[in-house]
Amino acid sequence: MRSFLALLAGLLLGAGALWLVLKPANDLFEPQVETIAAASLDAVRAQNRLSVFAGRFTVAVTSRAERLGFAAEKTMIVPATVKYEIDYSQLSAGDISWDPATARMVVDLPPIELSEPEIDMSDVRDYGEGAVLLTVGGANEALDRANRRKVRAAVMEEAGSELMLQMARDSARSAAARSFRLPLEAAGIPAQVIVRFPDESGSAM
Protein backbone atom coordinates (compact mmCIF):
# COMPACT_ATOMS: atom_id res chain seq x y z
CA MET A 1 0.00 0.00 0.00
CA ARG A 2 2.81 2.34 0.90
CA SER A 3 4.55 1.51 -2.36
CA PHE A 4 1.38 2.36 -4.28
CA LEU A 5 0.98 5.67 -2.45
CA ALA A 6 4.63 6.47 -3.07
CA LEU A 7 4.20 5.65 -6.76
CA LEU A 8 1.02 7.74 -6.97
CA ALA A 9 2.74 10.67 -5.31
CA GLY A 10 5.62 10.32 -7.71
CA LEU A 11 3.32 10.31 -10.70
CA LEU A 12 1.49 13.39 -9.44
CA LEU A 13 4.75 15.23 -8.85
CA GLY A 14 5.99 14.22 -12.27
CA ALA A 15 2.77 15.34 -13.92
CA GLY A 16 2.97 18.64 -12.10
CA ALA A 17 6.54 19.18 -13.22
CA LEU A 18 5.63 18.23 -16.81
CA TRP A 19 2.70 20.68 -16.73
CA LEU A 20 5.02 23.48 -15.65
CA VAL A 21 7.47 22.61 -18.43
CA LEU A 22 4.81 22.39 -21.10
CA LYS A 23 2.72 25.32 -19.85
CA PRO A 24 2.99 28.26 -22.32
CA ALA A 25 5.64 30.72 -21.20
CA ASN A 26 3.26 33.61 -21.75
CA ASP A 27 0.93 32.25 -19.06
CA LEU A 28 3.81 32.33 -16.61
CA PHE A 29 4.85 35.84 -17.62
CA GLU A 30 1.48 37.58 -17.84
CA PRO A 31 0.94 38.41 -14.15
CA GLN A 32 4.55 39.59 -13.93
CA VAL A 33 4.14 41.73 -17.06
CA GLU A 34 1.05 43.38 -15.58
CA THR A 35 2.91 44.17 -12.37
CA ILE A 36 5.93 45.59 -14.21
CA ALA A 37 3.73 47.60 -16.59
CA ALA A 38 1.78 49.06 -13.66
CA ALA A 39 5.02 50.12 -11.96
CA SER A 40 6.32 51.64 -15.20
CA LEU A 41 3.03 53.49 -15.67
CA ASP A 42 3.25 54.97 -12.18
CA ALA A 43 6.81 56.11 -12.83
CA VAL A 44 5.89 57.73 -16.15
CA ARG A 45 2.77 59.42 -14.75
CA ALA A 46 4.84 60.87 -11.91
CA GLN A 47 6.72 62.97 -14.46
CA ASN A 48 3.50 64.93 -15.13
CA ARG A 49 4.09 67.44 -17.93
CA LEU A 50 7.44 66.71 -19.52
CA SER A 51 9.34 68.38 -22.35
CA VAL A 52 10.23 65.71 -24.90
CA PHE A 53 11.80 67.98 -27.52
CA ALA A 54 12.70 71.63 -28.11
CA GLY A 55 12.99 73.64 -31.28
CA ARG A 56 15.01 76.81 -31.83
CA PHE A 57 13.66 79.17 -34.46
CA THR A 58 14.58 82.54 -35.92
CA VAL A 59 11.76 84.42 -37.60
CA ALA A 60 11.68 87.74 -39.43
CA VAL A 61 8.51 89.85 -39.43
CA THR A 62 7.90 93.16 -41.18
CA SER A 63 5.32 95.90 -40.74
CA ARG A 64 4.76 99.00 -42.87
CA ALA A 65 3.01 102.32 -42.28
CA GLU A 66 2.14 105.24 -44.53
CA ARG A 67 1.11 108.73 -43.41
CA LEU A 68 0.91 112.06 -45.19
CA GLY A 69 2.83 110.77 -48.17
CA PHE A 70 5.64 109.32 -46.06
CA ALA A 71 6.28 105.61 -45.62
CA ALA A 72 8.15 103.63 -43.01
CA GLU A 73 8.95 99.99 -42.61
CA LYS A 74 10.47 97.97 -39.80
CA THR A 75 11.72 94.41 -39.80
CA MET A 76 12.23 92.51 -36.57
CA ILE A 77 14.39 89.38 -36.41
CA VAL A 78 13.52 87.29 -33.39
CA PRO A 79 15.09 84.07 -32.01
CA ALA A 80 12.68 81.90 -30.04
CA THR A 81 12.49 78.48 -28.43
CA VAL A 82 9.40 76.27 -28.37
CA LYS A 83 9.11 73.18 -26.18
CA TYR A 84 7.16 70.10 -27.22
CA GLU A 85 5.49 68.65 -24.16
CA ILE A 86 3.39 65.66 -23.13
CA ASP A 87 1.12 65.64 -20.11
CA TYR A 88 1.90 62.14 -18.84
CA SER A 89 -0.58 62.54 -15.99
CA GLN A 90 -3.28 61.85 -18.62
CA LEU A 91 -1.86 58.37 -19.25
CA SER A 92 -3.94 55.57 -17.73
CA ALA A 93 -3.93 51.79 -17.54
CA GLY A 94 -6.45 51.75 -20.38
CA ASP A 95 -3.80 53.24 -22.66
CA ILE A 96 -1.56 50.19 -22.27
CA SER A 97 -2.29 46.77 -23.73
CA TRP A 98 -0.32 43.53 -23.70
CA ASP A 99 -0.61 40.68 -26.19
CA PRO A 100 0.97 37.57 -24.64
CA ALA A 101 0.76 35.65 -27.93
CA THR A 102 3.16 38.06 -29.64
CA ALA A 103 4.90 39.50 -26.55
CA ARG A 104 3.87 42.92 -27.78
CA MET A 105 2.94 45.92 -25.65
CA VAL A 106 1.11 48.92 -27.12
CA VAL A 107 1.23 52.29 -25.37
CA ASP A 108 -1.07 55.11 -26.52
CA LEU A 109 0.43 58.45 -25.50
CA PRO A 110 -1.46 61.73 -25.06
CA PRO A 111 -0.95 64.26 -27.87
CA ILE A 112 2.09 66.51 -28.01
CA GLU A 113 1.43 70.09 -26.95
CA LEU A 114 3.47 73.14 -27.93
CA SER A 115 4.54 75.63 -25.27
CA GLU A 116 4.39 79.37 -25.71
CA PRO A 117 7.49 80.73 -27.49
CA GLU A 118 10.36 81.75 -25.23
CA ILE A 119 11.95 84.83 -26.79
CA ASP A 120 15.47 85.94 -26.03
CA MET A 121 15.02 89.70 -26.09
CA SER A 122 18.77 90.29 -25.88
CA ASP A 123 19.15 88.78 -29.36
CA VAL A 124 16.26 90.59 -31.04
CA ARG A 125 17.36 92.78 -33.94
CA ASP A 126 15.36 95.27 -35.96
CA TYR A 127 15.91 97.36 -39.04
CA GLY A 128 13.94 100.37 -40.23
CA GLU A 129 13.42 102.38 -43.38
CA GLY A 130 11.74 105.75 -43.66
CA ALA A 131 13.55 107.91 -41.12
CA VAL A 132 11.15 110.84 -41.41
CA LEU A 133 8.01 108.91 -40.41
CA LEU A 134 9.84 106.79 -37.85
CA THR A 135 10.84 109.85 -35.86
CA VAL A 136 7.43 111.52 -35.68
CA GLY A 137 3.88 110.64 -34.78
CA GLY A 138 4.70 107.46 -32.85
CA ALA A 139 5.14 105.43 -36.01
CA ASN A 140 8.25 103.70 -34.65
CA GLU A 141 6.41 102.39 -31.57
CA ALA A 142 3.35 101.44 -33.63
CA LEU A 143 5.46 99.37 -36.01
CA ASP A 144 7.21 97.66 -33.08
CA ARG A 145 3.85 96.69 -31.59
CA ALA A 146 2.65 95.39 -34.93
CA ASN A 147 5.77 93.28 -35.34
CA ARG A 148 5.52 91.85 -31.84
CA ARG A 149 1.96 90.74 -32.56
CA LYS A 150 3.21 88.88 -35.63
CA VAL A 151 6.10 87.12 -33.90
CA ARG A 152 4.08 84.51 -32.01
CA ALA A 153 2.14 83.42 -35.10
CA ALA A 154 5.33 83.19 -37.16
CA VAL A 155 7.14 81.12 -34.54
CA MET A 156 4.21 78.77 -33.93
CA GLU A 157 3.80 78.22 -37.67
CA GLU A 158 7.38 76.99 -37.91
CA ALA A 159 7.12 74.97 -34.72
CA GLY A 160 3.96 73.28 -35.95
CA SER A 161 5.46 72.09 -39.22
CA GLU A 162 5.15 68.38 -39.98
CA LEU A 163 8.92 67.93 -39.84
CA MET A 164 9.25 69.42 -36.35
CA LEU A 165 6.23 67.51 -35.02
CA GLN A 166 7.63 64.26 -36.41
CA MET A 167 10.99 64.88 -34.73
CA ALA A 168 9.21 65.58 -31.43
CA ARG A 169 7.11 62.44 -31.77
CA ASP A 170 10.16 60.30 -32.55
CA SER A 171 11.91 61.65 -29.46
CA ALA A 172 8.87 61.01 -27.25
CA ARG A 173 8.28 57.59 -28.78
CA SER A 174 11.84 56.48 -28.11
CA ALA A 175 11.81 57.68 -24.50
CA ALA A 176 8.41 56.15 -23.71
CA ALA A 177 9.26 52.82 -25.33
CA ARG A 178 12.47 52.66 -23.35
CA SER A 179 10.62 53.41 -20.09
CA PHE A 180 8.34 50.42 -20.58
CA ARG A 181 10.74 48.03 -22.33
CA LEU A 182 13.80 48.19 -20.06
CA PRO A 183 12.01 47.00 -16.88
CA LEU A 184 10.64 44.03 -18.84
CA GLU A 185 14.07 43.19 -20.21
CA ALA A 186 15.54 43.47 -16.71
CA ALA A 187 13.04 40.82 -15.61
CA GLY A 188 14.08 38.58 -18.48
CA ILE A 189 10.94 39.19 -20.53
CA PRO A 190 11.65 39.99 -24.19
CA ALA A 191 9.00 42.35 -25.48
CA GLN A 192 8.29 44.62 -28.39
CA VAL A 193 6.90 47.99 -27.34
CA ILE A 194 4.82 50.01 -29.80
CA VAL A 195 4.15 53.65 -28.94
CA ARG A 196 1.33 55.48 -30.69
CA PHE A 197 -0.11 58.95 -30.76
CA PRO A 198 -3.85 59.62 -31.17
CA ASP A 199 -3.65 60.03 -34.96
CA GLU A 200 -1.20 57.21 -35.61
CA SER A 201 -1.50 53.47 -36.14
CA GLY A 202 1.79 52.89 -34.31
CA SER A 203 5.48 52.42 -34.78
CA ALA A 204 7.53 49.62 -33.25
CA MET A 205 10.45 50.62 -31.09
Side-chain angles (χ1 to χ4, degrees):
M1 183 67 177
R2 289 181 179 177
S3 298
F4 174 77
L5 291 176
L7 177 61
L8 181 59
L11 290 173
L12 290 174
L13 287 173
L18 183 62
W19 177 79
L20 286 174
V21 171
L22 297 180
K23 185 182 180 185
N26 288 327
D27 288 346
L28 291 172
F29 285 155
E30 194 165 0
Q32 189 178 4
V33 168
E34 292 178 357
T35 301
I36 294 172
S40 299
L41 174 61
D42 288 342
V44 170
R45 280 175 51 86
Q47 298 178 73
N48 292 318
R49 183 176 294 275
L50 186 67
S51 175
V52 296
F53 189 70
R56 176 79 170 176
F57 309 95
T58 300
V59 298
V61 295
T62 301
S63 293
R64 179 180 175 85
E66 295 183 7
R67 295 178 187 172
L68 302 174
F70 295 98
E73 184 176 279
K74 288 198 74 174
T75 297
M76 182 179 289
I77 300 175
V78 181
T81 299
V82 174
K83 295 178 181 178
Y84 298 75
E85 302 173 337
I86 292 181
D87 184 0
Y88 283 111
S89 66
Q90 297 181 17
L91 200 62
S92 68
D95 296 316
I96 302 171
S97 61
W98 169 254
D99 182 359
T102 59
R104 177 177 296 178
M105 179 176 290
V106 177
V107 180
D108 291 316
L109 291 183
I112 286 181
E113 301 175 16
L114 276 61
S115 71
E116 285 296 311
E118 299 175 4
I119 298 174
D120 186 353
M121 296 304 298
S122 64
D123 283 345
V124 173
R125 292 170 291 160
D126 56 47
Y127 304 92
E129 296 180 2
V132 174
L133 187 56
L134 287 176
T135 55
V136 297
N140 187 51
E141 292 76 11
L143 290 175
D144 281 343
R145 288 193 298 270
N147 279 336
R148 283 194 290 270
R149 286 194 295 269
K150 294 178 180 179
V151 166
R152 182 188 182 281
V155 172
M156 297 306 283
E157 181 178 359
E158 290 199 18
S161 70
E162 187 57 37
L163 175 61
M164 296 304 299
L165 289 175
Q166 188 58 51
M167 292 173 65
R169 286 176 172 177
D170 288 345
S171 176
R173 205 187 329 268
S174 177
R178 191 163 53 246
S179 296
F180 284 93
R181 187 180 64 245
L182 292 182
L184 292 171
E185 291 179 350
I189 304 173
Q192 180 186 35
V193 178
I194 296 175
V195 178
R196 303 185 302 195
F197 287 93
D199 58 345
E200 293 180 331
S201 60
S203 177
M205 300 301 296

